[in-house]
Amino acid sequence: MENAGMDHYTAELAAWLRSHADPAKAAPMAAYMRNKFPFLGLKTPERTRLIKAFWAKHGVPAGDELLDVVKRLWELPEREFQNAALAFLDKRGKRAGKEDIDVVEHLIVTKPWWDTVDYLASNATGDLLAKYPELIPAYADRWIASDDLWLRRTALLYQLRYKERTDVGRLFAYIERCKDEREFFIRKAIGWALREYSKTDEDAVRRFVERTPLSPLSAKEALKHVSR
């Protein structure tokens, strides 16, 4: 399909999801997200079912066409379309190439909030930086020094699923760099990253927390699963 085809494909999907909108659910969903985005009122199970039904009828684009659909969906106003874009990005899977990191970075900083950023951090970003570790200095190391809090949060969280593959030195260095920030989303991310790694190396996390002056929120989150 050409770009015009992707435009039609995206429009068809948008119309399909909009035809199932539920305004009664949309208002509380928007309120939960601090009214940062409008909603159609499609909760996750319903949205997932509708997208799968659309795929069954229309298929799933591949290659650059899939990324084109992701970017087109991201531009639409209702939050369900960004969620749908993430579902398409998941379909990219192991076929993702180095160039995908620039698309992912664009998604992180565009219409950012914890729901999309955290998913992108621990899935697409984590997978890409594990597959292409040579990208880490140019991306993660740059993000942690960025003025954009969502890029910093992504740098802290991209190793969430790495377990024993975690680059502990880099994780701890990133935390050291951000530990004095007052921003809630950074303090929470520090605690979350440490808590996840504590499931792999409890002693390392305990020692790090003991020697590092973290915010009470970060320390509490970090030690949630650490035996006293």
Side-chain angles (χ1 to χ4, degrees):
M1 298 182 219
E2 297 178 352
N3 279 351
M6 289 301 93
D7 189 40
H8 178 73
Y9 180 96
T10 306
E12 286 277 314
L13 175 58
W16 170 245
L17 293 181
R18 285 197 169 110
S19 72
H20 293 81
D22 186 340
K25 292 179 182 174
M29 290 172 73
Y32 177 70
M33 297 294 283
R34 299 187 185 178
N35 293 306
K36 288 186 173 290
F37 314 99
F39 277 78
L40 296 173
L42 299 175
K43 295 197 172 181
T44 301
E46 175 74 352
R47 186 187 71 242
T48 300
R49 182 186 68 77
L50 291 170
I51 292 171
K52 286 182 176 179
F54 186 86
W55 285 341
K57 182 177 180 180
H58 298 277
V60 182
D64 290 343
E65 292 174 343
L66 186 148
L67 292 180
D68 187 40
V69 170
V70 167
K71 288 182 280 189
R72 289 170 185 269
L73 287 170
W74 212 264
E75 293 172 0
L76 297 176
E78 292 87 0
R79 197 58 166 170
E80 286 89 346
F81 293 119
Q82 284 89 64
N83 298 140
L86 295 177
F88 276 85
L89 197 60
D90 279 348
K91 284 289 187 180
R92 186 91 160 144
K94 294 180 180 178
R95 293 183 294 278
K98 284 184 181 182
E99 66 281 0
D100 287 42
I101 194 68
D102 291 314
V103 176
V104 171
E105 182 177 49
H106 171 74
L107 302 182
I108 291 167
V109 299
T110 306
K111 300 184 181 179
W113 197 237
W114 60 264
D115 58 331
T116 55
V117 171
D118 292 359
Y119 191 86
L120 286 164
S122 59
N123 290 278
T125 307
D127 291 345
L128 280 167
L129 296 185
K131 185 176 181 181
Y132 304 108
E134 63 272 22
L135 294 175
I136 293 171
Y139 288 87
D141 286 356
R142 171 169 56 83
W143 293 343
I144 199 65
S146 170
D147 290 336
D148 188 297
L149 82 91
W150 300 108
L151 289 177
R152 297 198 304 281
R153 184 170 167 98
T154 298
L156 290 165
L157 297 179
Y158 81 87
Q159 298 192 82
L160 274 182
R161 296 190 291 123
Y162 281 21
K163 299 181 180 178
E164 68 280 347
R165 296 180 296 124
T166 300
D167 182 340
V168 186
R170 181 171 259 107
L171 174 62
F172 287 174
Y174 284 4
I175 293 171
E176 288 274 6
R177 185 178 187 115
C178 295
K179 64 182 173 58
D180 296 323
E181 288 194 38
R182 300 185 64 82
E183 170 58 55
F184 169 82
F185 286 108
I186 296 300
R187 290 184 168 189
K188 191 80 170 178
I190 288 171
W192 187 9
L194 289 171
R195 183 173 77 242
E196 283 304 303
Y197 187 60
S198 77
K199 299 173 185 177
T200 298
D201 191 339
E202 182 178 305
D203 289 341
V205 170
R206 186 191 293 107
R207 289 194 301 269
F208 180 77
V209 174
E210 285 174 353
R211 71 172 186 263
T212 308
L214 300 174
S215 72
L217 172 61
S218 297
K220 180 181 178 182
E221 289 289 324
L223 298 176
K224 266 187 177 176
H225 299 306
V226 173
S227 57
R228 299 297 194 269

